[in-house]
């Protein structure tokens, strides 16, 4: 795999514009997409990524993390996101950027990263595969200190499109709704595990009119899917239903505040007017904000693994319920759901206080 090293973190808006301009050509090629041989064989590497104290403080504030101490478990995703956008907007990436839905994310923190550390951040794509609603891909982000892998995540994205008549998805693709604890048999070229993660069932890709049950969980520039959190000592115990822990009132400007802190200023998150251009009735919260906000409630300094499944968008303003629980193995389960009578589930997830063998 070729390694490319940008001289500075790529700017997001030029990458998004390139992706938008290239999308008509990519969309025409989608139905006949060939699995496994059309991803760019490129790893983007940013050596010595610097953490800006003011942005880190703003991120901790908007997500509910403590201001002091090591980086929040989700923050390396912020450092790697410009690289991910550049990769997805690049010439060799086969899926159109507009309407790309972030369906899942899984994070493993092997050891803490301090705010003064300058980790090497790398991003590459793997696991291009058919899905019953289109095509999925996984973006792998890794952080290293002095050559040691200290943090990694897998984000799964879905491009919705008509399937080629002969295309067949992986067994059970798109049928599961909860985070998996089973390791995947799929491997990338380097031999590491990749989860063929299922996608949520509700909503169209951004940019298409939503049906009555609303638009997709999230879309391009913004959030992130994954390798599943894994059990290393046997099958998972039955998981009790999460209990309500808190209710959060989300203001209309939440997307703008998180966007300023994270750098993800996707228009679907900013204003009702800009979100309507992509089929949403109002602005929606960033999926990665919902994930980070839930993790901030779960002893975040102790967390070593976390997985989230993005199931439905959170409209702004609005009120949501955070629910959580623990299994007998001390793995935490959580979900974010609507506060209305329907209690629509927006996010489900699982956490663990042990990273397990890498």
């Amino acid at each position: 795999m070729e390694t490319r090293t940008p001289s500075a973190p790529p700017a997001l808006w030029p990458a998004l514009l390139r992706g938008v301009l290239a999308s008509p050509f990519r969309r025409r090629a989608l139905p006949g997409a060939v699995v496994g041989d059309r991803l760019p064989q490129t790893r983007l590497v940013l050596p010595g990524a610097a953490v800006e104290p003011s942005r880190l403080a703003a991120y901790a504030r908007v997500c509910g993390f403590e201001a002091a101490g090591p980086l929040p478990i989700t923050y390396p995703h912020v450092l790697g996101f410009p690289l991910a956008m550049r990769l997805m907007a690049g010439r060799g990436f086969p899926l159109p950027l507009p309407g790309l839905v972030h369906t899942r994310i899984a994070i493993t923190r092997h050891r803490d990263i301090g705010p003064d550390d300058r980790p090497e951040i790398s991003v590459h794509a793997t696991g291009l595969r058919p899905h019953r609603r289109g095509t999925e891909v996984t973006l792998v982000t890794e952080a290293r200190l002095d050559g040691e892998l200290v943090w990694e995540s897998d984000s799964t994205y879905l491009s919705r499109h008509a399937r080629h008549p002969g295309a067949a998805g992986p067994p059970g693709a798109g049928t599961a709704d909860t985070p998996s604890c089973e390791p995947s048999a799929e491997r990338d070229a380097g031999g590491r595990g990749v989860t063929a993660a299922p996608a949520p069932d509700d909503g169209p890709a951004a940019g298409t009119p939503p049906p009555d049950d609303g638009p997709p969980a999230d879309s391009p520039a913004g959030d992130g899917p994954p390798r599943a959190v894994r059990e290393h000592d046997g099958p998972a115990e039955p998981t009790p239903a999460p209990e309500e822990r808190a209710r959060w009132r989300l203001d209309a400007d939440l997307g703008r505040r998180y966007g300023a802190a994270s750098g993800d200023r996707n228009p679907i998150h900013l204003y009702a007017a800009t979100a309507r251009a992509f089929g949403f009735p109002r602005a929606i919260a960033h999926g990665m904000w919902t994930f980070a906000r839930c993790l901030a409630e779960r002893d975040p300094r102790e967390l070593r693994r976390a997985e989230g499944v993005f199931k439905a968008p959170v409209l702004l303003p609005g009120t949501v319920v955070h629910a959580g629980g623990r299994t007998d193995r001390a793995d935490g389960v959580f979900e974010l759901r609507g506060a209305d009578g329907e209690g629509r589930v927006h996010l489900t997830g699982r956490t663990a206080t042990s990273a397990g063998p890498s």
Side-chain angles (χ1 to χ4, degrees), residues 36 43-44 56 62 64 68 93 135 195-196 198 261 264 285 307 326 334:
R43 186 190 308 270
L44 297 181
L56 175 60
V62 74
F93 195 76
T135 302
T195 295
D264 178 7
E307 179 182 310
R326 286 189 177 276
F334 64 90

Side-chain angles (χ1 to χ4, degrees), residues 96-310:
L97 191 57
L100 199 61
V101 181
H102 190 186
T103 58
R104 296 171 64 116
I105 184 166
I107 292 174
T108 300
R109 175 167 57 182
H110 299 286
R111 71 176 179 88
D112 292 342
I113 303 174
D116 296 326
D117 289 331
R118 295 179 66 99
E120 176 192 271
I121 305 293
S122 67
V123 175
H124 68 275
T126 188
L128 186 70
R129 55 194 174 267
H131 181 273
R132 64 189 180 87
R133 296 197 175 199
T135 302
E136 283 186 326
V137 69
T138 295
L139 263 65
V140 178
T141 303
E142 297 173 330
R144 287 177 168 80
L145 289 173
D146 298 324
E148 176 190 356
L149 180 66
V150 295
W151 184 99
E152 57 185 319
S153 76
D154 289 3
S155 287
T156 300
Y157 294 87
L158 170 67
S159 178
R160 292 175 178 264
H161 60 85
R163 289 282 303 281
H164 188 279
T175 59
D177 288 327
T178 56
S180 168
C181 290
E182 297 301 324
S184 168
E186 185 178 350
R187 298 275 163 178
D188 68 7
R192 62 195 301 277
V194 177
T195 295
D201 286 344
D202 51 322
T208 59
D212 293 340
D213 64 347
D218 219 333
S219 75
D223 309 304
R227 173 180 10 170
V229 175
R230 298 171 182 174
E231 293 282 356
H232 296 282
D233 52 354
E237 297 291 336
T239 301
E243 300 177 357
E244 179 174 338
R245 300 297 178 88
R247 289 186 175 229
W248 299 326
R249 174 65 183 173
L250 311 182
D251 295 332
D253 70 343
L254 174 61
R256 298 191 290 278
R257 289 188 287 120
Y258 181 84
S262 68
D264 178 7
R265 293 184 173 88
N266 186 326
I268 63 175
H269 304 300
L270 302 182
Y271 299 95
T274 54
R276 280 195 292 268
F278 294 89
F280 296 89
R282 303 197 302 274
I284 65 171
H286 293 74
M288 282 302 296
W289 178 86
T290 67
F291 185 54
R293 183 67 186 90
C294 289
L295 296 185
E297 295 293 304
R298 308 193 60 78
D299 301 324
R301 291 195 183 187
E302 301 300 318
L303 297 182
R304 286 296 177 261
R305 292 184 287 151
E307 179 182 310
V309 179
F310 304 107

